[in-house]
Amino acid sequence: MQYTRLGRTGLKISRLCLGTMNFGMVADETTSFGIMDKALETGINFIDTADVYGGPQSPDMEQGYGISEEIIGRWLAQSGRRERIVLATKVYQPMGTGPNDRHLSAYHIRKACEDSLRRLQTDHIDLYQMHHIDRATPWEEIWQAMEQLVREGKVIYVGSSNFAAWNIAQANETARHRHFLGLVSEQSLYNLLTRTVELEVLPVCEAYGLGVIPWSPLGGGLLSGALRKAEAGRRASSGVKVAIEQNRTKLEAYEHLCTQLGEEPAQVALAWLLANPVVTAPIIGPRTTEQLDENLRALEIAMSKETLSKLDEIFPGPGGAAPEAYAW
């Protein structure tokens, strides 16, 4: 396993992050335990979850259930595992039907943290991430709540997810004035098909020393050989079928290139992210231990300049960082 620092911190994390959104939904508890056991065995020490993950939304689609955290908590309760991992979870999404059971008020941050600690059966969260920007809550209130959790030892580092570049700059400048470390990571949608973050989010993360943790690195499965699987008669959701048709030309060229390289499409997509020096650790979401083993191959793939250039031709990004990407 390869390790790197999380942004500007001294914390060392594995180059692949184990995502657990499938735990409790696609993967049952036994399978989830097996995936985490295998991850730990292979050297993956970075596990990401969220309070809202792990189960179907309620009938009114207004709240999560915390099932993923509960599964991880029961796994952590087995001796010796907690201190071997860097544990990340999130706050923001609705976890109840009350008006204060969501977003980033100090009230909700405190309650959500206590609830996550209980479900995870731990006394601290290593990386507590804001799942989305809360435009209605001032940064002074958010940082006051986070600072209190850090003082109490319940949270070690604070990160963001799905933030715009100016949100990150505003958050860290406010934290600087409060003599607080501020954001140390940003979890963003980033893959070969979706490269918008290259305009401003990646540059601001590099400037402020935030680790970049891409989610959906396989583009919802489109970059894992979706075209080949469809042609082989594998079932796909109606949404995936539509997306395949919308991207058929790109996927044909991509899967042909992967065949030429002698590598599986999913591993090439992960290796492309790992080749970016700004990227810290893509989040993988294996549904089985076999898929986890397959993802590990990405760490061994060396991306040549020629391959990177061909991938840019197939999946052209926005043209680099703003404003040069669209102006002189």
Side-chain angles (χ1 to χ4, degrees), residues 111-129:
K111 183 178 186 301
C113 182
E114 295 288 355
D115 289 345
S116 287
L117 290 171
R118 173 179 48 79
R119 287 189 291 264
L120 290 165
Q121 298 191 44
T122 185
D123 63 354
H124 70 283
I125 296 163
D126 298 308
L127 178 62
Y128 202 34
Q129 302 160 110

Side-chain angles (χ1 to χ4, degrees), residues 98-175:
N100 290 308
D101 292 333
R102 63 200 68 199
H103 302 159
L104 299 177
S105 67
Y107 178 99
H108 181 61
I109 288 173
R110 181 203 60 79
K111 183 178 186 301
C113 182
E114 295 288 355
D115 289 345
S116 287
L117 290 171
R118 173 179 48 79
R119 287 189 291 264
L120 290 165
Q121 298 191 44
T122 185
D123 63 354
H124 70 283
I125 296 163
D126 298 308
L127 178 62
Y128 202 34
Q129 302 160 110
M130 292 171 265
H131 213 157
H132 201 284
I133 187 68
D134 182 354
R135 297 180 178 88
T137 305
W139 275 110
E140 289 77 11
E141 178 179 350
I142 294 171
W143 282 138
Q144 176 177 281
M146 292 296 187
E147 289 163 12
Q148 182 64 28
L149 293 175
V150 170
R151 280 193 296 269
E152 294 173 359
K154 295 174 181 177
V155 167
I156 310 301
Y157 300 100
V158 181
S160 59
S161 182
N162 307 306
F163 275 29
W166 78 272
N167 299 141
I168 293 171
Q170 184 184 42
N172 270 15
E173 288 303 322
T174 305

Side-chain angles (χ1 to χ4, degrees), residues 199-222:
L199 283 169
E200 297 191 6
V201 173
L202 295 194
V204 81
C205 286
E206 186 174 22
Y208 279 97
L210 272 66
V212 175
I213 307 168
W215 62 267
S216 192
L218 304 182
L222 291 179

Side-chain angles (χ1 to χ4, degrees), residues 32 55 59 69 95 118-119 129 140 149 159 170 174 182 200-201 221 251-252 256 273 285 296 310 321 326-327:
S32 300
E69 288 187 332
M95 290 300 291
R118 173 179 48 79
R119 287 189 291 264
Q129 302 160 110
E140 289 77 11
L149 293 175
Q170 184 184 42
T174 305
E200 297 191 6
V201 173
L251 294 177
E252 286 175 348
H256 177 68
L273 285 169
L296 293 172
K310 288 181 179 178
Y326 48 78

Side-chain angles (χ1 to χ4, degrees), residues 54-65:
Q57 296 290 300
S58 60
D60 56 10
M61 297 297 287
E62 286 190 357
Q63 70 179 88
Y65 287 89

